[in-house]
Short mmCIF file of all heavy atoms in Angstrom, two decimals:
data_model
loop_
_atom_site.label_atom_id
_atom_site.label_comp_id
_atom_site.label_asym_id
_atom_site.label_seq_id
_atom_site.Cartn_x
_atom_site.Cartn_y
_atom_site.Cartn_z
N THR C 2 130.44 80.25 64.81
CA THR C 2 131.90 80.07 64.84
C THR C 2 132.35 79.64 63.43
O THR C 2 131.61 78.99 62.72
CB THR C 2 132.27 78.95 65.84
OG1 THR C 2 131.34 77.88 65.68
CG2 THR C 2 132.17 79.48 67.27
N PRO C 3 133.57 80.05 63.07
CA PRO C 3 134.02 79.64 61.71
C PRO C 3 134.11 78.12 61.64
O PRO C 3 134.53 77.46 62.59
CB PRO C 3 135.43 80.28 61.60
CG PRO C 3 135.77 80.76 62.94
CD PRO C 3 134.55 80.77 63.82
N PRO C 8 136.71 66.67 59.34
CA PRO C 8 137.69 65.75 59.90
C PRO C 8 138.37 64.90 58.83
O PRO C 8 137.68 64.25 58.03
CB PRO C 8 136.81 64.88 60.83
CG PRO C 8 135.63 65.73 61.18
CD PRO C 8 135.38 66.55 59.95
N GLN C 129 127.97 47.15 51.50
CA GLN C 129 126.54 46.83 51.58
C GLN C 129 126.23 45.43 51.07
O GLN C 129 125.10 45.14 50.65
CB GLN C 129 125.71 47.91 50.89
CG GLN C 129 125.94 49.27 51.53
CD GLN C 129 125.11 50.39 50.90
OE1 GLN C 129 124.31 50.13 50.00
NE2 GLN C 129 125.34 51.60 51.36
N ASP C 130 127.26 44.59 51.00
CA ASP C 130 127.09 43.18 50.62
C ASP C 130 126.59 42.95 49.20
O ASP C 130 125.79 42.06 48.94
CB ASP C 130 126.14 42.48 51.59
CG ASP C 130 126.69 42.50 53.01
OD1 ASP C 130 127.83 42.14 53.21
OD2 ASP C 130 125.92 42.89 53.94
N ARG C 131 127.03 43.84 48.31
CA ARG C 131 126.72 43.58 46.89
C ARG C 131 128.04 43.40 46.14
O ARG C 131 129.08 43.86 46.58
CB ARG C 131 125.92 44.75 46.29
CG ARG C 131 124.46 44.77 46.78
CD ARG C 131 123.65 45.84 46.10
NE ARG C 131 124.00 47.17 46.50
CZ ARG C 131 123.48 47.80 47.57
NH1 ARG C 131 122.59 47.22 48.32
NH2 ARG C 131 123.88 49.01 47.87
N LYS C 174 133.41 78.33 51.01
CA LYS C 174 132.03 78.28 51.54
C LYS C 174 131.03 78.35 50.37
O LYS C 174 130.02 77.66 50.34
CB LYS C 174 131.84 79.45 52.51
CG LYS C 174 130.43 79.67 53.04
CD LYS C 174 130.05 78.67 54.12
CE LYS C 174 128.70 78.98 54.72
NZ LYS C 174 127.96 77.77 55.04
N ASP C 178 128.28 75.49 49.54
CA ASP C 178 126.83 75.81 49.58
C ASP C 178 126.19 75.64 48.20
O ASP C 178 125.01 75.20 48.12
CB ASP C 178 126.63 77.22 50.12
CG ASP C 178 126.97 77.28 51.62
OD1 ASP C 178 127.20 76.22 52.24
OD2 ASP C 178 127.01 78.41 52.17
N PHE C 181 125.49 72.09 47.95
CA PHE C 181 124.97 71.41 49.15
C PHE C 181 125.95 70.36 49.64
O PHE C 181 125.54 69.26 50.00
CB PHE C 181 123.56 70.88 48.93
CG PHE C 181 122.55 71.94 48.68
CD1 PHE C 181 122.30 72.42 47.38
CD2 PHE C 181 121.85 72.53 49.74
CE1 PHE C 181 121.38 73.43 47.16
CE2 PHE C 181 120.94 73.55 49.52
CZ PHE C 181 120.71 74.01 48.23
N HIS C 182 127.24 70.67 49.59
CA HIS C 182 128.28 69.78 50.07
C HIS C 182 128.68 70.15 51.50
O HIS C 182 128.28 71.21 52.02
CB HIS C 182 129.52 69.88 49.20
CG HIS C 182 129.40 69.14 47.89
ND1 HIS C 182 130.32 69.26 46.87
CD2 HIS C 182 128.46 68.27 47.42
CE1 HIS C 182 129.96 68.52 45.85
NE2 HIS C 182 128.84 67.92 46.16
N ARG C 212 123.70 71.76 40.22
CA ARG C 212 122.40 71.38 40.86
C ARG C 212 121.20 71.68 39.97
O ARG C 212 120.05 71.64 40.47
CB ARG C 212 122.22 72.00 42.23
CG ARG C 212 123.17 71.51 43.32
CD ARG C 212 122.70 70.24 44.04
NE ARG C 212 123.05 69.03 43.32
CZ ARG C 212 124.17 68.37 43.49
NH1 ARG C 212 125.07 68.74 44.32
NH2 ARG C 212 124.38 67.28 42.76
N ASP C 217 122.08 67.16 37.80
CA ASP C 217 121.76 66.01 38.65
C ASP C 217 121.51 64.76 37.82
O ASP C 217 121.84 63.66 38.25
CB ASP C 217 120.57 66.36 39.56
CG ASP C 217 120.96 67.30 40.68
OD1 ASP C 217 122.14 67.34 41.07
OD2 ASP C 217 120.06 68.03 41.20
N ARG C 221 123.53 61.21 38.08
CA ARG C 221 122.87 59.91 38.17
C ARG C 221 123.43 58.96 37.12
O ARG C 221 123.67 57.76 37.37
CB ARG C 221 121.37 60.10 37.95
CG ARG C 221 120.63 58.78 37.93
CD ARG C 221 119.25 58.88 37.34
NE ARG C 221 118.64 57.56 37.34
CZ ARG C 221 118.71 56.72 36.30
NH1 ARG C 221 119.35 57.09 35.22
NH2 ARG C 221 118.15 55.52 36.36
N ARG C 228 128.42 51.87 38.94
CA ARG C 228 127.96 50.64 39.59
C ARG C 228 128.12 49.44 38.63
O ARG C 228 128.42 48.33 39.06
CB ARG C 228 126.49 50.73 39.99
CG ARG C 228 126.24 51.58 41.21
CD ARG C 228 124.76 51.49 41.57
NE ARG C 228 124.38 52.45 42.59
CZ ARG C 228 123.36 53.31 42.47
NH1 ARG C 228 122.63 53.36 41.37
NH2 ARG C 228 123.08 54.13 43.45
N ASN C 243 130.45 43.56 57.62
CA ASN C 243 130.62 42.49 58.64
C ASN C 243 132.07 42.24 58.98
O ASN C 243 132.38 41.81 60.11
CB ASN C 243 130.03 41.18 58.15
CG ASN C 243 128.51 41.16 58.25
OD1 ASN C 243 127.93 42.03 58.91
ND2 ASN C 243 127.87 40.22 57.59
N PRO C 251 129.62 49.96 66.64
CA PRO C 251 128.44 50.08 65.77
C PRO C 251 128.33 51.48 65.11
O PRO C 251 128.02 51.57 63.92
CB PRO C 251 127.28 49.82 66.73
CG PRO C 251 127.86 48.93 67.77
CD PRO C 251 129.27 49.42 67.97
N ALA C 255 128.20 52.36 61.10
CA ALA C 255 127.17 53.20 60.53
C ALA C 255 127.75 54.40 59.82
O ALA C 255 127.41 54.73 58.70
CB ALA C 255 126.17 53.63 61.61
N LEU C 260 129.38 57.72 55.05
CA LEU C 260 130.43 58.44 54.33
C LEU C 260 130.68 57.87 52.94
O LEU C 260 130.86 58.62 51.97
CB LEU C 260 131.73 58.43 55.14
CG LEU C 260 131.70 59.34 56.40
CD1 LEU C 260 132.87 59.01 57.30
CD2 LEU C 260 131.76 60.80 55.97
N THR L 2 129.05 35.81 55.36
CA THR L 2 128.29 35.71 56.62
C THR L 2 126.99 36.48 56.47
O THR L 2 126.96 37.49 55.75
CB THR L 2 129.09 36.34 57.79
OG1 THR L 2 129.72 37.54 57.35
CG2 THR L 2 130.16 35.40 58.29
N PRO L 3 125.93 36.02 57.11
CA PRO L 3 124.67 36.77 56.97
C PRO L 3 124.81 38.19 57.52
O PRO L 3 125.46 38.40 58.54
CB PRO L 3 123.67 35.96 57.80
CG PRO L 3 124.43 34.97 58.58
CD PRO L 3 125.83 34.89 58.04
N PRO L 8 123.59 49.08 62.42
CA PRO L 8 123.67 49.56 63.80
C PRO L 8 122.57 50.59 64.11
O PRO L 8 122.45 51.57 63.40
CB PRO L 8 125.07 50.19 63.85
CG PRO L 8 125.84 49.50 62.77
CD PRO L 8 124.85 49.22 61.69
N GLN L 129 125.78 71.36 58.17
CA GLN L 129 126.73 71.88 57.19
C GLN L 129 126.72 73.39 57.16
O GLN L 129 127.10 74.00 56.15
CB GLN L 129 126.45 71.26 55.81
CG GLN L 129 126.60 69.75 55.82
CD GLN L 129 126.33 69.09 54.49
OE1 GLN L 129 126.14 69.75 53.47
NE2 GLN L 129 126.34 67.76 54.48
N ASP L 130 126.25 74.01 58.22
CA ASP L 130 126.31 75.47 58.39
C ASP L 130 125.51 76.23 57.37
O ASP L 130 125.92 77.32 56.90
CB ASP L 130 127.76 75.95 58.35
CG ASP L 130 128.59 75.35 59.45
OD1 ASP L 130 128.15 75.42 60.61
OD2 ASP L 130 129.68 74.81 59.18
N ARG L 131 124.38 75.68 56.99
CA ARG L 131 123.45 76.43 56.12
C ARG L 131 122.13 76.62 56.90
O ARG L 131 121.80 75.83 57.80
CB ARG L 131 123.22 75.69 54.80
CG ARG L 131 124.41 75.76 53.87
CD ARG L 131 124.16 75.17 52.50
NE ARG L 131 124.00 73.75 52.55
CZ ARG L 131 125.06 72.90 52.44
NH1 ARG L 131 126.28 73.33 52.27
NH2 ARG L 131 124.85 71.60 52.49
N LYS L 174 116.63 41.72 51.74
CA LYS L 174 117.84 41.85 50.92
C LYS L 174 117.46 42.35 49.54
O LYS L 174 118.11 43.23 48.95
CB LYS L 174 118.52 40.47 50.85
CG LYS L 174 119.69 40.37 49.88
CD LYS L 174 120.96 40.97 50.45
CE LYS L 174 122.16 40.75 49.53
NZ LYS L 174 123.04 41.92 49.49
N ASP L 178 118.83 45.81 47.84
CA ASP L 178 119.63 45.76 46.63
C ASP L 178 118.94 46.49 45.47
O ASP L 178 119.59 47.14 44.66
CB ASP L 178 119.95 44.31 46.23
CG ASP L 178 120.92 43.64 47.23
OD1 ASP L 178 121.48 44.40 48.08
OD2 ASP L 178 121.12 42.44 47.14
N PHE L 181 119.76 50.00 46.01
CA PHE L 181 121.16 50.28 46.42
C PHE L 181 121.19 50.94 47.78
O PHE L 181 121.94 51.88 48.02
CB PHE L 181 121.89 51.12 45.33
CG PHE L 181 122.05 50.40 44.05
CD1 PHE L 181 121.09 50.47 43.05
CD2 PHE L 181 123.18 49.64 43.80
CE1 PHE L 181 121.21 49.78 41.85
CE2 PHE L 181 123.33 48.95 42.60
CZ PHE L 181 122.34 49.01 41.64
N HIS L 182 120.39 50.41 48.69
CA HIS L 182 120.36 50.87 50.09
C HIS L 182 121.21 49.95 50.94
O HIS L 182 121.65 48.91 50.51
CB HIS L 182 118.92 50.86 50.60
CG HIS L 182 118.08 52.01 50.12
ND1 HIS L 182 116.70 52.07 50.32
CD2 HIS L 182 118.36 53.15 49.44
CE1 HIS L 182 116.20 53.16 49.78
NE2 HIS L 182 117.21 53.84 49.22
N ARG L 212 114.65 53.24 40.90
CA ARG L 212 115.93 53.59 40.30
C ARG L 212 115.86 53.83 38.79
O ARG L 212 116.91 53.91 38.15
CB ARG L 212 117.06 52.59 40.63
CG ARG L 212 117.48 52.53 42.09
CD ARG L 212 118.53 53.56 42.47
NE ARG L 212 117.97 54.82 42.82
CZ ARG L 212 117.59 55.20 44.03
NH1 ARG L 212 117.75 54.40 45.06
NH2 ARG L 212 117.07 56.38 44.24
N GLU L 214 115.00 56.47 35.62
CA GLU L 214 115.29 57.91 35.52
C GLU L 214 114.15 58.72 36.14
O GLU L 214 114.42 59.70 36.84
CB GLU L 214 115.42 58.32 34.03
CG GLU L 214 116.78 58.01 33.46
CD GLU L 214 116.93 58.58 32.06
OE1 GLU L 214 116.65 59.78 31.84
OE2 GLU L 214 117.35 57.80 31.15
N ASP L 217 114.43 58.59 39.96
CA ASP L 217 115.52 59.42 40.52
C ASP L 217 115.21 60.91 40.36
O ASP L 217 115.56 61.73 41.20
CB ASP L 217 116.86 59.02 39.91
CG ASP L 217 117.36 57.70 40.44
OD1 ASP L 217 116.98 57.31 41.56
OD2 ASP L 217 118.12 57.02 39.73
N ARG L 221 114.94 63.71 43.30
CA ARG L 221 115.63 65.01 43.25
C ARG L 221 114.63 66.16 43.50
O ARG L 221 114.92 67.09 44.25
CB ARG L 221 116.27 65.20 41.87
CG ARG L 221 116.88 66.58 41.71
CD ARG L 221 117.22 66.91 40.30
NE ARG L 221 117.77 68.25 40.24
CZ ARG L 221 117.02 69.34 40.09
NH1 ARG L 221 115.72 69.26 39.92
NH2 ARG L 221 117.59 70.54 40.08
N ARG L 228 114.59 71.14 50.80
CA ARG L 228 115.59 72.17 51.17
C ARG L 228 114.96 73.56 51.23
O ARG L 228 115.29 74.36 52.07
CB ARG L 228 116.73 72.18 50.15
CG ARG L 228 117.69 71.05 50.27
CD ARG L 228 118.83 71.27 49.28
NE ARG L 228 119.68 70.13 49.15
CZ ARG L 228 120.01 69.55 47.99
NH1 ARG L 228 119.55 70.04 46.85
NH2 ARG L 228 120.80 68.50 47.96
N ASN L 243 129.99 72.14 64.38
CA ASN L 243 130.91 72.72 65.35
C ASN L 243 130.42 72.59 66.80
O ASN L 243 131.20 72.53 67.73
CB ASN L 243 131.07 74.22 65.07
CG ASN L 243 132.02 74.48 63.92
OD1 ASN L 243 132.72 73.57 63.49
ND2 ASN L 243 132.02 75.69 63.42
N PRO L 251 136.53 63.32 65.92
CA PRO L 251 136.46 63.71 64.52
C PRO L 251 135.76 62.66 63.65
O PRO L 251 134.94 63.02 62.77
CB PRO L 251 137.94 63.85 64.12
CG PRO L 251 138.63 64.20 65.41
CD PRO L 251 137.91 63.44 66.49
N ALA L 255 132.44 63.24 61.30
CA ALA L 255 132.42 62.85 59.87
C ALA L 255 131.29 61.86 59.62
O ALA L 255 130.53 61.99 58.65
CB ALA L 255 133.76 62.28 59.45
N LEU L 260 125.93 60.11 57.47
CA LEU L 260 124.62 59.49 57.73
C LEU L 260 123.47 60.47 57.43
O LEU L 260 122.45 60.06 56.87
CB LEU L 260 124.55 59.01 59.17
CG LEU L 260 125.40 57.78 59.44
CD1 LEU L 260 125.54 57.54 60.94
CD2 LEU L 260 124.77 56.52 58.77
#
Side-chain angles (χ1 to χ4, degrees):
Chain C
T2 43
Q129 299 181 4
D130 299 310
R131 287 185 289 274
K174 174 77 175 143
D178 290 351
F181 295 89
H182 283 171
R212 293 273 85 90
D217 286 335
R221 176 196 178 268
R228 284 185 190 127
N243 283 346
L260 287 166
Chain L
T2 42
Q129 298 180 7
D130 299 310
R131 286 186 290 272
K174 173 78 175 142
D178 290 350
F181 294 89
H182 284 170
R212 293 274 85 90
E214 279 187 51
D217 287 335
R221 175 194 178 271
R228 284 186 191 128
N243 283 347
L260 287 166

